[in-house]
Amino acid sequence: MTDCSQNCGGRYSYGLAATLSIIAGKWKPLILYFLLDGPKRYGELKRNVHGVSAKVLIQQLKELEADRVLARTDYKEVPPRVDYALTPLGRSLADRIVPLCTWGTENMAEMVSILAERDRLL
Amino acid sequence: MTDCSQNCGGRYSYGLAATLSIIAGKWKPLILYFLLDGPKRYGELKRNVHGVSAKVLIQQLKELEADRVLARTDYKEVPPRVDYALTPLGRSLADRIVPLCTWGTENMAEMVSILAERDRLL
DNA sequence: CTGTATCCAAAGGGATACTG
DNA sequence: CAGTATCCCTTTGGATACAG
């Protein structure tokens, strides 16, 4: 989505399109949110972001790193130890994701109902 | 993502997983954001959400409707006139999306640089 | 422990043409 | 105007095995 020419009735959503191009990816918002808790090692991410595979995790981490929202630190130890942390830019982004989590939590009853209805229709 | 068992180091992200399951879809956040401007007709959405195809637009609208975040009104006229509006639930969700747009706008210079770098690597 | 490499399946999305 | 229907293709992500 390099084309950010989104115009929403006077509201310009260039910014939204740009943001979406960064957090697009099944696990990226969860990763960013998790890292608000502090730097985490690869294994910690793997265990806590339930369902993600090794391949996809490392892939999304690399993309987030390339997009400058997180930084990878290799401690050059044996056995290997690396961790991933939010950059200042990444932290400011993750802060904007928190309201999404809050919304889901606040409306959990409705969410459960919606997801149940979705399953029912299958 | 019916499995919302996401646990982020003490931070529970059930809520985030739930929210993501609602806004997952290439154009959904843009649609929700656009509708903050007020109810819109199908054609308006089609013209303003740049790049979306007729098929995918109607598909995502139906899903958002089924998920109770927007309501469709058919005015039973000829030629046909229908519009889509945020429900109260949908409005509260769209409100949480605004910060994402703001973030992209605030960091637009960085965004441009990041997207340019991404293209360069192709 | 932190990844890589390979192969594969499915979902999601897009183009085009058509309808009430 | 507001969709539908069909076909097709790319992207995304998942499983498994292996490596430094």
Side-chain angles (χ1 to χ4, degrees):
Chain A
M1 195 180 298
T2 301
D3 174 22
C4 294
S5 51
Q6 294 293 339
N7 172 357
C8 292
R11 289 173 177 275
Y12 283 88
S13 51
Y14 290 71
L16 182 53
T19 304
L20 292 175
S21 82
I22 300 226
I23 62 176
K26 189 167 178 178
W27 311 98
K28 286 183 185 177
L30 288 164
I31 291 168
L32 292 172
Y33 183 75
F34 184 30
L35 290 180
L36 273 176
D37 194 54
K40 300 294 175 193
R41 299 181 60 170
Y42 173 84
E44 292 181 281
L45 286 161
K46 182 83 177 56
R47 279 190 303 278
N48 287 281
V49 181
H50 301 309
V52 70
S53 68
K55 185 196 109 179
V56 173
L57 176 57
I58 195 66
Q59 184 178 297
Q60 309 220 336
L61 286 172
K62 284 187 175 182
E63 288 171 8
L64 290 170
E65 187 189 3
D67 286 345
R68 307 175 202 170
V69 292
L70 62 80
R72 174 180 183 275
T73 304
D74 185 341
Y75 293 92
K76 311 280 186 185
E77 300 176 355
V78 218
R81 180 163 72 98
V82 300
D83 67 29
Y84 294 87
L86 294 170
T87 60
L89 182 67
R91 173 165 295 270
S92 72
L93 173 55
D95 284 340
R96 311 306 180 100
I97 289 175
V98 171
L100 295 179
C101 183
T102 309
W103 183 83
T105 304
E106 286 171 351
N107 299 281
M108 188 51 74
E110 188 90 36
M111 292 304 105
V112 171
S113 169
I114 289 171
L115 298 180
E117 176 66 8
R118 219 188 259 179
D119 288 345
R120 204 187 61 75
L121 295 175
L122 294 183
Chain B
M1 197 180 295
T2 300
D3 173 22
C4 293
S5 52
Q6 293 293 339
N7 172 356
C8 292
R11 290 171 177 274
Y12 283 87
S13 51
Y14 291 71
L16 183 53
T19 304
L20 292 174
S21 82
I22 301 236
I23 62 176
K26 189 167 178 180
W27 311 98
K28 287 183 184 176
L30 288 164
I31 291 168
L32 292 172
Y33 183 76
F34 184 31
L35 290 179
L36 272 177
D37 195 54
K40 301 293 175 193
R41 301 180 59 172
Y42 173 85
E44 293 181 280
L45 285 160
K46 182 83 177 55
R47 280 190 304 278
N48 286 280
V49 181
H50 302 309
V52 71
S53 69
K55 186 195 106 177
V56 173
L57 176 57
I58 195 66
Q59 182 179 297
Q60 308 220 337
L61 286 172
K62 285 187 174 182
E63 289 171 7
L64 290 170
E65 187 188 3
D67 286 346
R68 307 176 202 167
V69 292
L70 62 81
R72 174 180 183 275
T73 303
D74 186 340
Y75 293 92
K76 311 279 186 184
E77 300 176 357
V78 218
R81 182 162 72 99
V82 301
D83 67 29
Y84 295 86
L86 294 170
T87 60
L89 182 67
R91 173 165 294 271
S92 72
L93 173 55
D95 284 341
R96 311 308 180 100
I97 289 175
V98 172
L100 295 178
C101 184
T102 309
W103 183 82
T105 304
E106 287 171 351
N107 299 281
M108 189 51 74
E110 187 90 35
M111 291 303 106
V112 170
S113 168
I114 289 171
L115 297 180
E117 176 66 8
R118 222 188 256 177
D119 288 345
R120 203 187 62 74
L121 295 175
L122 294 183

